[in-house]
Amino acid sequence: MAGRTCSCTKGEAAAEVEKPSHLLTVAICEDTLVDLLAQRALCAEALHCATPQARRRLRELLLRSLLPGGEHISPGRN
């Protein structure tokens, strides 16, 4: 599975997913992440979310990065 990223889906147990050894866990300020996405300095496809909540929040931040000026999107139920 070298060179591929993996993610958990709803029907897939986390223990069953192989985690590539080259993944690094980091914490980043949401505003900084939005800026990097908006500047196209970071590709959302390169990010791996460990939880469904993180995946939802990343989706919201990605949408926010597409708005002029990165206006705030209030989190809603999806």
Side-chain angles (χ1 to χ4, degrees):
M1 187 168 215
R4 295 177 64 200
T5 58
C6 59
S7 63
C8 294
T9 59
K10 205 171 200 176
E12 190 174 21
E16 296 174 8
V17 175
E18 292 181 36
K19 291 188 179 183
S21 60
H22 60 275
L23 289 181
L24 177 66
T25 302
V26 297
I28 185 169
C29 176
E30 288 184 357
D31 290 336
T32 302
L33 179 58
V34 169
D35 289 343
L36 290 171
L37 291 168
Q39 296 169 17
R40 307 299 191 264
L42 182 63
C43 178
E45 292 176 346
L47 302 174
H48 169 81
C49 296
T51 66
Q53 295 82 9
R55 196 172 10 257
R56 274 193 298 275
R57 188 63 185 144
L58 176 60
R59 189 177 322 126
E60 292 168 356
L61 295 173
L62 179 58
L63 290 172
R64 182 174 144 198
S65 76
L66 299 173
L67 294 173
E71 286 97 9
H72 178 68
I73 296 177
S74 58
R77 293 184 183 175
N78 293 341

Coordinates of all heavy atoms in Angstrom, one line a residue:
M1 N 0.8 -1.2 0.0 CA 0.0 0.0 0.0 C 0.9 1.3 0.0 O 0.4 2.3 0.4 CB -0.9 0.0 1.2 CG -1.9 1.0 1.2 SD -3.1 0.7 2.5 CE -4.5 1.3 1.7
A2 N 2.1 1.1 -0.4 CA 3.0 2.3 -0.4 C 2.6 3.3 -1.4 O 2.1 3.1 -2.5 CB 4.4 1.8 -0.8
G3 N 2.7 4.6 -0.9 CA 2.3 5.7 -1.8 C 0.8 6.0 -1.8 O 0.4 6.9 -2.5
R4 N 0.0 5.3 -1.1 CA -1.4 5.6 -1.1 C -1.8 6.0 0.3 O -1.3 5.5 1.3 CB -2.2 4.3 -1.5 CG -1.9 3.9 -2.9 CD -2.6 2.6 -3.2 NE -4.0 2.8 -3.2 CZ -4.9 1.9 -3.0 NH1 -4.5 0.6 -3.0 NH2 -6.2 2.1 -3.0
T5 N -2.8 6.9 0.4 CA -3.4 7.3 1.7 C -4.6 6.4 1.9 O -5.2 5.9 0.9 CB -3.7 8.8 1.7 OG1 -4.6 9.0 0.7 CG2 -2.5 9.6 1.6
C6 N -5.0 6.3 3.1 CA -6.2 5.5 3.4 C -7.1 6.3 4.3 O -6.7 7.2 5.0 CB -5.9 4.2 4.0 SG -4.9 4.3 5.5
S7 N -8.4 5.9 4.3 CA -9.3 6.6 5.2 C -10.3 5.6 5.6 O -10.5 4.6 5.0 CB -10.0 7.8 4.5 OG -10.7 7.3 3.4
C8 N -11.0 5.9 6.7 CA -12.0 5.0 7.3 C -13.4 5.4 6.7 O -13.7 6.6 6.6 CB -12.1 5.1 8.8 SG -10.6 4.4 9.6
T9 N -14.1 4.4 6.3 CA -15.5 4.7 5.9 C -16.4 4.2 6.9 O -16.0 3.4 7.8 CB -15.8 4.0 4.5 OG1 -15.6 2.6 4.7 CG2 -14.9 4.6 3.4
K10 N -17.7 4.5 6.9 CA -18.6 4.2 7.9 C -18.7 2.7 8.2 O -18.7 2.2 9.3 CB -20.0 4.7 7.5 CG -20.9 5.0 8.7 CD -22.1 5.7 8.2 CE -22.8 6.4 9.4 NZ -23.9 7.1 9.0
G11 N -18.6 1.9 7.1 CA -18.7 0.4 7.3 C -17.4 -0.3 7.5 O -17.3 -1.5 7.6
E12 N -16.3 0.5 7.7 CA -15.0 -0.1 7.8 C -14.5 0.2 9.2 O -14.4 1.4 9.6 CB -14.2 0.5 6.7 CG -12.8 -0.1 6.5 CD -12.2 0.6 5.3 OE1 -12.5 1.7 4.9 OE2 -11.3 0.0 4.8
A13 N -14.1 -0.8 9.9 CA -13.5 -0.6 11.3 C -12.1 0.0 11.2 O -11.4 -0.3 10.3 CB -13.4 -1.9 12.0
A14 N -11.8 0.9 12.1 CA -10.5 1.6 12.1 C -9.4 0.7 12.2 O -8.3 0.9 11.6 CB -10.5 2.7 13.2
A15 N -9.5 -0.4 12.9 CA -8.4 -1.4 13.1 C -8.1 -2.1 11.8 O -7.0 -2.6 11.6 CB -8.8 -2.3 14.2
E16 N -9.1 -2.2 10.9 CA -8.8 -2.9 9.6 C -8.1 -2.1 8.6 O -7.6 -2.6 7.6 CB -10.2 -3.3 9.0 CG -11.0 -4.3 9.9 CD -12.4 -4.5 9.4 OE1 -12.7 -4.1 8.2 OE2 -13.1 -5.2 10.1
V17 N -8.0 -0.8 8.8 CA -7.4 0.1 7.8 C -5.9 0.2 8.1 O -5.5 0.5 9.2 CB -8.0 1.5 7.8 CG1 -7.2 2.4 6.9 CG2 -9.5 1.5 7.5
E18 N -5.1 -0.1 7.0 CA -3.6 0.0 7.2 C -3.3 1.5 7.2 O -3.7 2.2 6.3 CB -2.9 -0.7 6.1 CG -3.1 -2.2 6.1 CD -2.4 -2.9 4.9 OE1 -1.3 -2.4 4.6 OE2 -2.9 -3.8 4.4
K19 N -2.4 1.9 8.2 CA -2.0 3.2 8.2 C -0.6 3.3 7.7 O 0.3 2.7 8.2 CB -2.0 3.8 9.6 CG -3.4 3.9 10.1 CD -3.4 4.6 11.5 CE -4.9 4.8 11.9 NZ -5.0 5.5 13.2
P20 N -0.4 4.0 6.6 CA 1.0 4.1 6.1 C 1.9 4.8 7.1 O 1.5 5.7 7.8 CB 0.8 5.1 4.9 CG -0.6 5.0 4.5 CD -1.3 4.7 5.8
S21 N 3.1 4.3 7.2 CA 4.1 4.8 8.2 C 4.5 6.2 7.9 O 5.1 6.9 8.8 CB 5.3 3.9 8.2 OG 5.9 3.9 7.0
H22 N 4.2 6.7 6.7 CA 4.7 8.1 6.4 C 3.7 9.2 6.7 O 3.9 10.3 6.4 CB 5.0 8.2 4.9 CG 3.9 7.9 4.0 ND1 3.6 6.6 3.6 CD2 3.0 8.7 3.4 CE1 2.5 6.6 2.8 NE2 2.1 7.9 2.7
L23 N 2.6 8.8 7.4 CA 1.6 9.8 7.8 C 2.1 10.5 9.1 O 2.7 9.9 10.0 CB 0.2 9.2 8.1 CG -0.5 8.8 6.9 CD1 -1.9 8.2 7.3 CD2 -0.7 9.9 5.9
L24 N 1.9 11.8 9.2 CA 2.3 12.6 10.4 C 1.0 13.3 11.0 O 0.3 13.9 10.2 CB 3.3 13.6 9.9 CG 3.8 14.6 11.0 CD1 4.6 13.8 12.0 CD2 4.7 15.7 10.3
T25 N 0.8 13.1 12.2 CA -0.3 13.8 12.9 C 0.2 15.2 13.3 O 1.2 15.4 14.0 CB -0.7 13.0 14.1 OG1 -1.1 11.7 13.7 CG2 -1.9 13.7 14.8
V26 N -0.6 16.2 12.9 CA -0.3 17.6 13.2 C -1.6 18.3 13.7 O -2.7 17.9 13.4 CB 0.3 18.4 12.0 CG1 1.6 17.8 11.6 CG2 -0.6 18.4 10.9
A27 N -1.4 19.4 14.4 CA -2.5 20.3 14.7 C -2.2 21.6 14.1 O -1.1 22.1 14.0 CB -2.5 20.5 16.3
I28 N -3.3 22.2 13.5 CA -3.1 23.5 12.8 C -4.3 24.4 13.1 O -5.5 23.8 13.1 CB -2.9 23.3 11.3 CG1 -2.6 24.6 10.5 CG2 -4.1 22.5 10.7 CD1 -2.2 24.4 9.1
C29 N -4.1 25.6 13.2 CA -5.2 26.6 13.4 C -6.1 26.5 12.2 O -5.7 26.5 11.1 CB -4.6 28.0 13.6 SG -5.8 29.2 13.8
E30 N -7.4 26.5 12.4 CA -8.4 26.5 11.3 C -8.2 27.6 10.4 O -8.3 27.4 9.1 CB -9.8 26.4 11.9 CG -10.2 25.1 12.5 CD -11.6 25.1 13.0 OE1 -12.4 26.0 12.8 OE2 -12.0 24.0 13.4
D31 N -7.9 28.8 10.9 CA -7.8 30.0 10.0 C -6.5 29.8 9.1 O -6.6 30.1 7.9 CB -7.6 31.3 10.7 CG -9.0 31.7 11.4 OD1 -10.0 31.2 10.9 OD2 -8.9 32.4 12.4
T32 N -5.5 29.2 9.6 CA -4.3 28.9 8.8 C -4.6 27.9 7.8 O -4.1 28.0 6.6 CB -3.1 28.5 9.7 OG1 -2.9 29.5 10.7 CG2 -1.9 28.2 9.0
L33 N -5.3 26.9 8.1 CA -5.7 25.8 7.2 C -6.5 26.4 6.0 O -6.3 26.1 4.9 CB -6.4 24.7 7.9 CG -6.9 23.5 7.0 CD1 -5.7 22.9 6.3 CD2 -7.6 22.5 7.8
V34 N -7.5 27.2 6.4 CA -8.3 27.9 5.4 C -7.4 28.7 4.4 O -7.6 28.7 3.2 CB -9.4 28.8 6.0 CG1 -10.1 29.6 5.0 CG2 -10.4 27.9 6.7
D35 N -6.5 29.5 5.0 CA -5.6 30.3 4.2 C -4.7 29.4 3.2 O -4.6 29.7 2.0 CB -4.6 31.1 5.0 CG -5.3 32.3 5.7 OD1 -6.4 32.6 5.3 OD2 -4.7 32.8 6.7
L36 N -4.2 28.3 3.7 CA -3.4 27.4 2.9 C -4.2 26.8 1.8 O -3.8 26.7 0.6 CB -2.8 26.3 3.7 CG -1.7 26.8 4.7 CD1 -1.3 25.6 5.6 CD2 -0.4 27.3 3.9
L37 N -5.5 26.4 2.1 CA -6.3 25.8 1.1 C -6.7 26.9 0.0 O -6.7 26.6 -1.2 CB -7.6 25.3 1.7 CG -7.4 24.0 2.6 CD1 -8.6 23.7 3.4 CD2 -7.0 22.8 1.7
A38 N -7.0 28.1 0.5 CA -7.4 29.2 -0.4 C -6.3 29.6 -1.4 O -6.5 29.9 -2.5 CB -7.9 30.4 0.4
Q39 N -5.1 29.5 -0.9 CA -3.9 29.9 -1.7 C -3.5 28.7 -2.6 O -2.5 28.8 -3.3 CB -2.7 30.3 -0.8 CG -3.0 31.5 0.0 CD -1.9 31.7 1.1 OE1 -0.8 31.1 1.1 NE2 -2.2 32.5 2.1
R40 N -4.1 27.6 -2.4 CA -3.8 26.4 -3.2 C -2.4 25.9 -2.8 O -1.7 25.2 -3.6 CB -3.9 26.6 -4.7 CG -5.2 27.1 -5.2 CD -6.4 26.2 -4.9 NE -7.6 26.5 -5.6 CZ -8.6 27.3 -5.0 NH1 -8.5 27.8 -3.8 NH2 -9.7 27.5 -5.7
A41 N -1.9 26.2 -1.6 CA -0.6 25.8 -1.1 C -0.8 24.4 -0.5 O 0.2 23.7 -0.3 CB -0.1 26.7 -0.1
L42 N -2.0 24.0 -0.2 CA -2.3 22.7 0.4 C -3.5 22.1 -0.3 O -4.5 22.8 -0.5 CB -2.5 22.8 1.9 CG -2.8 21.6 2.7 CD1 -1.6 20.6 2.7 CD2 -3.1 21.9 4.1
C43 N -3.4 20.8 -0.6 CA -4.5 20.2 -1.3 C -5.3 19.3 -0.3 O -4.7 18.5 0.4 CB -4.0 19.3 -2.4 SG -5.2 18.3 -3.3
A44 N -6.6 19.5 -0.3 CA -7.5 18.8 0.7 C -7.4 17.3 0.5 O -7.5 16.5 1.5 CB -8.9 19.3 0.6
E45 N -7.1 16.9 -0.7 CA -7.0 15.4 -1.0 C -5.8 14.8 -0.3 O -5.8 13.6 0.0 CB -6.9 15.2 -2.5 CG -8.1 15.5 -3.2 CD -8.0 15.3 -4.7 OE1 -6.8 15.2 -5.2 OE2 -9.0 15.2 -5.4
A46 N -4.8 15.6 0.1 CA -3.6 15.1 0.8 C -3.9 14.9 2.3 O -3.0 14.4 3.0 CB -2.5 16.1 0.5
L47 N -5.0 15.4 2.8 CA -5.3 15.4 4.2 C -6.1 14.1 4.6 O -7.0 13.7 3.8 CB -6.0 16.6 4.6 CG -5.3 17.9 4.4 CD1 -6.3 19.1 4.7 CD2 -4.1 18.0 5.1
H48 N -5.8 13.5 5.7 CA -6.5 12.3 6.2 C -7.1 12.7 7.5 O -6.5 13.3 8.4 CB -5.5 11.2 6.4 CG -6.0 10.1 7.2 ND1 -6.8 9.1 6.6 CD2 -6.0 9.7 8.5 CE1 -7.2 8.2 7.5 NE2 -6.7 8.6 8.6
C49 N -8.4 12.5 7.6 CA -9.1 12.8 8.8 C -9.4 11.5 9.6 O -9.8 10.5 9.1 CB -10.5 13.4 8.5 SG -10.3 15.0 7.7
A50 N -9.0 11.5 10.9 CA -9.1 10.3 11.7 C -10.5 10.0 12.2 O -10.8 8.9 12.5 CB -8.2 10.5 13.0
T51 N -11.4 11.0 12.2 CA -12.8 10.8 12.7 C -13.8 11.4 11.7 O -13.4 12.3 10.9 CB -13.0 11.5 14.0 OG1 -12.9 12.9 13.9 CG2 -12.0 11.0 15.1
P52 N -15.0 11.0 11.7 CA -16.1 11.6 10.9 C -16.3 13.0 11.2 O -16.5 13.9 10.3 CB -17.3 10.7 11.2 CG -16.8 9.4 11.7 CD -15.5 9.8 12.4
Q53 N -16.1 13.4 12.5 CA -16.3 14.8 12.9 C -15.2 15.7 12.2 O -15.5 16.8 11.8 CB -16.3 15.0 14.4 CG -17.4 14.3 15.1 CD -17.2 12.8 15.4 OE1 -16.1 12.3 15.1 NE2 -18.3 12.1 15.8
A54 N -14.0 15.2 12.2 CA -12.9 15.9 11.6 C -13.1 16.0 10.1 O -12.8 17.1 9.5 CB -11.6 15.2 11.9
R55 N -13.6 15.0 9.5 CA -13.9 15.0 8.1 C -14.9 16.0 7.7 O -14.8 16.8 6.8 CB -14.3 13.6 7.6 CG -14.3 13.4 6.2 CD -14.5 11.9 5.7 NE -15.0 11.0 6.7 CZ -14.2 10.0 7.3 NH1 -12.9 10.0 7.0 NH2 -14.8 9.2 8.2
R56 N -16.0 16.1 8.6 CA -17.0 17.1 8.3 C -16.5 18.5 8.5 O -16.8 19.4 7.7 CB -18.2 16.9 9.3 CG -19.2 15.9 8.8 CD -20.5 16.0 9.7 NE -20.3 15.6 11.1 CZ -20.2 14.4 11.6 NH1 -20.5 13.4 10.8 NH2 -20.0 14.2 12.9
R57 N -15.7 18.7 9.5 CA -15.1 20.1 9.8 C -14.2 20.4 8.6 O -14.2 21.6 8.2 CB -14.4 20.1 11.1 CG -13.9 21.5 11.5 CD -15.1 22.4 11.7 NE -14.7 23.8 11.9 CZ -15.3 24.9 11.5 NH1 -16.4 24.8 10.8 NH2 -14.8 26.0 11.7
L58 N -13.4 19.5 8.1 CA -12.5 19.8 7.0 C -13.3 20.2 5.8 O -13.0 21.1 5.1 CB -11.6 18.6 6.7 CG -10.7 18.7 5.4 CD1 -9.8 19.9 5.6 CD2 -10.0 17.5 5.2
R59 N -14.4 19.5 5.5 CA -15.3 19.9 4.4 C -15.8 21.3 4.6 O -15.8 22.1 3.6 CB -16.5 18.9 4.3 CG -17.3 19.0 3.1 CD -18.4 18.0 3.0 NE -18.0 16.7 3.5 CZ -18.7 16.0 4.4 NH1 -19.8 16.4 4.9 NH2 -18.3 14.8 4.8
E60 N -16.2 21.7 5.8 CA -16.7 23.0 6.0 C -15.6 24.1 5.8 O -15.8 25.1 5.2 CB -17.2 23.2 7.5 CG -18.5 22.4 7.7 CD -18.8 22.3 9.2 OE1 -18.0 22.8 10.1 OE2 -19.8 21.7 9.5
L61 N -14.4 23.7 6.2 CA -13.2 24.6 6.1 C -12.8 24.8 4.6 O -12.5 25.8 4.1 CB -12.0 24.2 6.9 CG -12.3 24.3 8.4 CD1 -11.1 23.7 9.1 CD2 -12.5 25.7 8.9
L62 N -12.9 23.7 3.9 CA -12.6 23.7 2.4 C -13.6 24.6 1.7 O -13.2 25.4 0.9 CB -12.7 22.3 1.9 CG -12.4 22.2 0.4 CD1 -11.1 22.8 0.0 CD2 -12.5 20.7 -0.1
L63 N -14.9 24.5 2.0 CA -15.9 25.4 1.4 C -15.6 26.8 1.8 O -15.7 27.7 1.0 CB -17.3 25.0 1.9 CG -17.8 23.6 1.3 CD1 -19.1 23.3 2.0 CD2 -18.0 23.7 -0.2
R64 N -15.3 27.0 3.1 CA -14.9 28.4 3.5 C -13.7 29.0 2.7 O -13.7 30.2 2.4 CB -14.6 28.4 5.0 CG -14.3 29.7 5.6 CD -14.2 29.6 7.1 NE -13.2 30.5 7.6 CZ -12.6 30.4 8.8 NH1 -12.9 29.5 9.6 NH2 -11.7 31.3 9.1
S65 N -12.8 28.1 2.4 CA -11.6 28.6 1.7 C -12.0 29.0 0.2 O -11.2 29.8 -0.4 CB -10.5 27.5 1.6 OG -10.9 26.5 0.7
L66 N -13.1 28.6 -0.3 CA -13.5 28.9 -1.6 C -14.3 30.3 -1.7 O -14.4 30.8 -2.7 CB -14.4 27.8 -2.2 CG -13.7 26.5 -2.3 CD1 -14.7 25.4 -2.8 CD2 -12.5 26.6 -3.3
L67 N -14.7 30.8 -0.5 CA -15.4 32.0 -0.5 C -14.4 33.2 -0.5 O -13.3 33.1 0.0 CB -16.2 32.1 0.9 CG -17.4 31.1 1.0 CD1 -17.9 31.3 2.4 CD2 -18.4 31.4 0.0
P68 N -14.9 34.3 -1.2 CA -14.0 35.5 -1.2 C -13.7 36.0 0.2 O -14.7 36.2 1.0 CB -14.8 36.5 -2.0 CG -16.0 35.8 -2.6 CD -16.1 34.5 -1.9
G69 N -12.5 36.1 0.6 CA -12.2 36.6 1.9 C -12.3 35.6 3.0 O -12.1 35.9 4.1
G70 N -12.6 34.3 2.7 CA -12.8 33.3 3.6 C -13.8 33.5 4.7 O -13.6 33.3 5.9
E71 N -15.0 34.1 4.3 CA -16.0 34.4 5.3 C -16.4 33.2 6.1 O -16.2 32.1 5.6 CB -17.3 34.9 4.5 CG -17.1 36.3 4.0 CD -16.8 36.3 2.6 OE1 -16.8 35.3 1.9 OE2 -16.5 37.4 2.0
H72 N -16.8 33.4 7.3 CA -17.2 32.4 8.2 C -18.4 31.6 7.7 O -19.4 32.2 7.3 CB -17.5 33.0 9.6 CG -17.9 31.9 10.6 ND1 -17.0 31.0 11.0 CD2 -19.0 31.7 11.2 CE1 -17.6 30.2 11.9 NE2 -18.9 30.6 12.0
I73 N -18.4 30.3 7.8 CA -19.5 29.5 7.5 C -19.9 28.9 8.8 O -19.1 28.2 9.5 CB -19.2 28.3 6.5 CG1 -18.8 28.9 5.2 CG2 -20.4 27.3 6.4 CD1 -18.4 27.8 4.2
S74 N -21.1 29.1 9.2 CA -21.6 28.5 10.5 C -21.8 27.0 10.3 O -22.3 26.6 9.3 CB -22.8 29.2 11.0 OG -23.9 29.0 10.0
P75 N -21.2 26.2 11.3 CA -21.4 24.8 11.2 C -22.9 24.4 11.2 O -23.6 24.9 12.1 CB -20.6 24.2 12.3 CG -20.2 25.4 13.2 CD -20.5 26.6 12.4
G76 N -23.3 23.6 10.3 CA -24.7 23.1 10.3 C -24.7 21.6 10.3 O -23.7 20.9 10.2
R77 N -25.8 21.0 10.3 CA -26.0 19.6 10.3 C -26.0 19.2 8.8 O -26.7 19.7 8.0 CB -27.3 19.2 10.9 CG -27.3 19.4 12.4 CD -28.5 18.9 13.1 NE -28.5 19.2 14.5 CZ -29.5 19.0 15.3 NH1 -30.6 18.4 14.8 NH2 -29.4 19.3 16.5
N78 N -25.1 18.2 8.5 CA -25.0 17.6 7.2 C -25.5 16.2 7.1 O -25.3 15.4 7.9 CB -23.6 17.7 6.6 CG -23.2 19.1 6.4 OD1 -24.0 20.0 6.4 ND2 -21.9 19.3 6.4

